[in-house]
């Protein structure tokens, strides 16, 4: 059995379903792109200081204030060169961390300030991911990236973004999502976008149950028909612990578990936005023990100063998990991916299981 430390975790084949492209830039890249495009509003001028600023500013305890930090990353992702570079580096960084399959999301509507069209934005990001996948392969690190197109939930372009996702479905876009401030912007506002996706036999996930509780999760599932829940951490509001210490599930929690609806849990991000108060109190462990389909995710690597391996290490340190637990969460994630079933199975059988077998030894 290999000791469970950060370097061994980096060798484990990992699957990431919830990662924002504009939340994962390298601090040096933010600085360089800002200089190149004349953006002069960055809050720091060295990479370490900028990394620290993002981490601390995102530690706000409120989703709305956490989201304000994205103004700086989105500002430097407005040109073909900037978009391509950020996507390329994202693929390379994830591959170097041992991620073998990732679904990375971003909101094309936020990248139109310099005159690019929605289609051009998506094309540049896809080019960047392809270049990053190839560069990683040369180093012996194989990764596949599927793109999710996000619509901002406070805006009114979700139908258009869903159509964009379908236009690019055979070129690397594997699904659709909504993100942004949850309170006041319920999923049902975007029903036509979700109906369009369902009508196209296409997949989507919805950020729900992060800054708002059960009604948001209920709408996402019952009215919108979501395939997965982005976070979904507040499903615990529907779980009570009886006097005998035994958890009792309400109707919605039961439904989520019965239908094996995947929860894209993002431990560090959830603490930063105040969805949970401490990692020790994160319901990840309760949900895992109750056999919900839990997955481990980064959400925003820059804002949380994290990686897939780091998130797993934090869970190991907090809840005492071993390799077989981590393998189970990884297989949960691979089963829940938006690529076709045969391709998911191939990654499980040929990459994930053999990779963990080496570590379990
Ligand atoms: O945890 C989150 N909850 C809700 N919205 C988020 C979260 N992380 C990032 N974004 C939002 O998604 C946009 C597209 O990637 C980001 O610009 C940010 O506003
Ligand atoms: Zn997110």
């Amino acid at each position: 059995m290999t000791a469970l430390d950060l370097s061994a975790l980096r060798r484990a084949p990992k699957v990431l379903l919830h990662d924002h492209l504009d939340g994962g830039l390298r601090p040096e890249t933010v600085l360089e792109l800002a200089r190149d495009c004349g953006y002069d509003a960055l809050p720091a001028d060295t990479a370490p200081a900028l990394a620290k600023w993002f981490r601390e500013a995102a530690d706000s305890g409120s989703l709305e204030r956490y989201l304000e930090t994205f103004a700086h990353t989105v500002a430097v992702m407005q040109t073909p060169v900037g978009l391509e570079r950020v996507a390329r580096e994202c693929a390379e960084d994830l591959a170097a961390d041992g991620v073998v399959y990732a679904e990375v999301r971003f909101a094309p509507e936020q990248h139109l300030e310099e005159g690019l069209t929605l289609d051009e934005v998506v094309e540049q990001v896809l080019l960047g991911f392809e270049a990053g996948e190839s560069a990683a392969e040369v180093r012996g690190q194989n990764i596949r990236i599927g793109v999710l197109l996000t619509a901002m939930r406070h805006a009114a372009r979700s139908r258009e973004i869903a159509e964009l996702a379908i236009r690019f479905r055979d070129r690397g876009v594997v699904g659709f999502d909504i993100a942004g401030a949850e309170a006041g912007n319920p999923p049902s506002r975007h029903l036509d976008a979700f109906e369009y996706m369902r009508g196209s036999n296409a997949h989507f996930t919805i950020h729900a149950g992060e800054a708002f509780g059960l009604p948001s999760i209920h709408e996402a599932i019952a009215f919108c028909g979501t395939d997965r829940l982005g976070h979904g951490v507040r499903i615990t509001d529907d779980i009570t612990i009886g006097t005998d210490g035994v958890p009792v599930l309400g109707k919605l929690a039961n439904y989520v578990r019965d239908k094996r609806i995947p929860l894209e849990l993002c431990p560090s991000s959830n603490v930063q936005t105040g969805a949970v108060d401490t990692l020790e109190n994160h319901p990840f462990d309760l949900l895992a023990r109750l056999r919900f389909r839990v997955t481990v995710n980064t959400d925003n690597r820059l804002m949380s100063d994290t990686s897939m391996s780091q998130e797993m290490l934090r869970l190991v340190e907090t809840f005492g998990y071993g390799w077989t637990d981590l393998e189970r969460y990884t297989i949960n994630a691979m089963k829940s991916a938006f690529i076709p079933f045969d391709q998911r199975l191939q990654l499980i059988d040929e990459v994930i299981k053999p990779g963990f077998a080496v570590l379990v030894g």
Side-chain angles (χ1 to χ4, degrees), residues 18-23 63 66-67 70 73-74 105-107 110-111 150 152-154 177-182 207 210 231 266 269-270 273 299-300:
H18 191 133
D19 187 81
H20 292 258
L21 183 66
D22 51 330
L63 177 61
Y66 174 93
L67 293 178
F70 286 80
T73 55
V74 169
R105 63 189 78 193
F106 74 105
Q110 299 193 121
H111 303 276
T150 293
M152 299 308 292
R153 63 199 309 154
H154 60 268
D177 162 54
I178 58 167
E182 187 176 6
H207 275 78
E210 179 188 20
H231 301 287
C266 309
S269 164
N270 291 159
T273 63
D299 207 12
N300 297 293

Side-chain angles (χ1 to χ4, degrees), residues 191 194 198 202 204 206 218-228:
L191 207 50
F194 301 125
R198 292 212 309 274
F204 56 94
I206 296 181
H218 179 253
E219 279 199 6
I221 295 170
F223 303 160
C224 307
T226 195
D227 292 285
R228 307 194 305 233

Side-chain angles (χ1 to χ4, degrees), residues 87-351:
R88 175 167 43 81
E89 292 178 349
C90 169
E92 293 190 70
D93 291 352
L94 294 179
D97 187 43
V99 175
V100 295
Y101 176 81
E103 288 177 5
V104 180
R105 63 189 78 193
F106 74 105
E109 68 197 70
Q110 299 193 121
H111 303 276
L112 308 177
E113 281 168 27
E114 295 292 326
L116 293 177
T117 64
L118 289 171
D119 289 66
E120 285 166 344
V121 168
V122 178
E123 273 158 18
Q124 287 308 312
V125 168
L126 290 171
L127 278 176
F129 281 136
E130 262 170 50
E133 285 165 338
S134 303
E137 197 183 339
V138 170
R139 294 185 208 113
Q141 299 159 344
N142 289 311
I143 184 167
R144 172 163 175 196
I145 304 229
V147 175
L148 305 184
L149 297 187
T150 293
M152 299 308 292
R153 63 199 309 154
H154 60 268
R157 300 188 80 158
S158 51
R159 169 67 189 242
E160 208 181 340
I161 302 304
E163 288 174 7
L164 185 67
I166 295 302
R167 258 200 316 284
F168 280 88
R169 71 189 311 180
D170 296 322
R171 285 190 272 165
V173 173
V174 300
F176 171 71
D177 162 54
I178 58 167
E182 187 176 6
N185 299 298
S188 54
R189 271 197 69 208
H190 303 282
L191 207 50
D192 61 337
F194 301 125
E195 282 173 353
Y196 177 78
M197 291 302 286
R198 292 212 309 274
S200 311
N201 303 311
H203 299 293
F204 56 94
T205 178
I206 296 181
H207 275 78
E210 179 188 20
F212 204 73
L214 296 177
S216 187
I217 297 178
H218 179 253
E219 279 199 6
I221 295 170
F223 303 160
C224 307
T226 195
D227 292 285
R228 307 194 305 233
L229 289 169
H231 301 287
V233 61
R234 297 278 301 273
I235 193 64
T236 47
D237 294 359
D238 201 34
I239 302 176
T240 47
I241 308 293
T243 43
D244 51 2
V246 176
V248 180
L249 277 63
K251 292 273 184 300
L252 182 59
N254 259 317
Y255 189 87
V256 169
R257 187 172 67 166
D258 290 345
K259 294 285 249 184
R260 316 306 298 140
I261 296 175
L263 301 174
E264 303 164 0
L265 297 171
C266 309
S268 294
S269 164
N270 291 159
V271 176
Q272 288 182 291
T273 63
V276 302
D277 55 359
T278 61
L279 201 53
E280 290 68 28
N281 288 334
H282 197 290
F284 187 98
D285 191 52
L286 173 68
L287 294 165
R289 281 189 285 115
L290 289 170
R291 300 300 294 261
F292 280 78
R293 190 179 275 187
V294 295
T295 67
V296 183
N297 300 276
T298 48
D299 207 12
N300 297 293
R301 287 170 288 117
L302 173 65
M303 285 73 183
S304 296
D305 186 21
T306 196
S307 64
M308 258 316 267
S309 300
Q310 269 294 350
E311 287 303 290
M312 284 190 161
L313 184 64
R314 285 179 185 144
L315 291 177
V316 165
E317 289 170 347
T318 310
F319 300 117
Y321 295 140
W323 288 116
T324 49
D325 300 305
L326 300 178
E327 180 177 11
R328 185 164 81 246
Y329 310 145
T330 304
I331 291 177
N332 277 352
M334 199 64 245
K335 282 182 179 168
S336 311
F338 288 162
I339 54 171
F341 175 76
D342 53 339
Q343 298 174 21
R344 287 181 247 157
L345 213 55
Q346 191 179 7
L347 279 160
I348 290 174
D349 289 338
E350 294 175 16
V351 180

